Amino acid sequence: MKPGETNPERLWTRTRRAAYAEITDIAMRLFLSQGFDATTIDEIASASGISRRSFFRYFGTKEDIVLSDLVREGEEARRALEERPESEPPWTALRNVVLSVSGPSHDHERRLKVTKMMYETPSLRSRCFEKHLQWQEQIVPEVRRRLAGEHAVEQWPDVRARSLVASAIACLDIAGEAWARADGDVPLGELLEAAFDAVGRTREP
């Protein structure tokens, strides 16, 4: 590329990201002010100054707007798990990773409102479950690798790896729901610790 020239692909990417962020922000404001189910895709498109057809170029469903961060958090969890010390048992490593990706938010009130909306809306709960299954597929290979390094040879390493990851995600889901029911008055980290402790005690040899 010659000096002074603009890369069309890079410009297109920046433009798309900016539009994606703007539509997300507008949609979330509508969801939180009038309710998820009461907000239509046509309303979101109109408020964003785009057509309904253009909306579907950015989002597959209305639910994806609310849960888009879950995909990014799944990638963060995978990378964080890979960076945990090899000396940590798989369950301990998973615990530390979940605690890290669920740390304090800079906007506590907004996070609480979004969390409540998710747990009160069946379609969001269902879509969240699908996203968490994606987490499982991302994280299981690293847990399986760590299990292979343990002194005991596992007869069914994939079954145990998937069980550990599914249990960790269940702890996250249960703690999140409890945090929402408590109106955020109890720290999410404290609820996560309680959930992981409960499961950890039942799996101690």
Side-chain angles (χ1 to χ4, degrees), residues 22-201:
E22 183 178 356
I23 297 167
T24 298
D25 184 60
I26 290 170
M28 290 303 296
R29 288 205 303 267
L30 289 171
F31 292 152
L32 294 176
S33 65
Q34 61 189 36
F36 181 83
D37 288 331
T39 303
T40 67
I41 289 175
D42 287 334
E43 282 182 286
I44 296 169
S46 177
S48 303
I50 61 174
S51 66
R52 180 184 176 89
R53 184 173 183 178
S54 294
F55 172 90
F56 288 109
R57 293 175 184 167
Y58 294 94
F59 303 97
T61 67
K62 199 170 62 168
E63 288 75 14
D64 287 337
I65 300 173
V66 179
L67 301 173
S68 59
D69 282 348
L70 276 183
V71 177
R72 174 184 54 78
E73 289 173 358
E75 278 296 319
E76 289 179 1
R78 179 188 60 78
R79 288 193 297 268
L81 183 61
E82 291 173 351
E83 293 171 0
R84 296 304 305 175
E86 291 290 333
S87 59
E88 284 186 346
W91 182 247
T92 301
L94 282 168
R95 175 192 186 122
N96 289 329
V97 165
V98 170
L99 285 169
S100 70
V101 300
S102 304
S105 170
H106 70 280
D107 192 339
H108 176 86
E109 289 303 318
R110 181 182 174 90
R111 182 180 188 179
L112 180 59
K113 289 179 181 179
V114 172
T115 302
K116 284 184 174 182
M117 181 173 66
M118 186 186 73
Y119 284 109
E120 293 169 358
T121 309
S123 64
L124 283 173
R125 286 299 301 270
S126 177
R127 190 64 172 162
C128 182
F129 177 73
E130 292 178 19
K131 299 289 187 183
H132 278 161
L133 286 179
Q134 293 179 25
W135 275 39
Q136 184 167 308
E137 294 307 312
Q138 291 171 304
I139 298 172
V140 160
E142 174 61 14
V143 175
R144 189 191 301 119
R145 184 192 69 78
R146 286 173 176 264
L147 287 172
E150 292 187 337
H151 64 277
V153 178
E154 295 291 332
Q155 184 177 8
W156 304 105
D158 190 65
V159 170
R160 187 177 178 198
R162 289 181 178 277
S163 296
L164 287 173
V165 175
S167 296
I169 292 174
C171 287
L172 174 61
D173 187 50
I174 290 168
E177 186 172 11
W179 181 72
R181 287 202 309 267
D183 285 329
D185 291 336
V186 181
L188 177 58
E190 186 176 321
L191 295 168
L192 282 168
E193 292 276 11
F196 271 86
D197 284 343
V199 177
R201 281 196 293 270

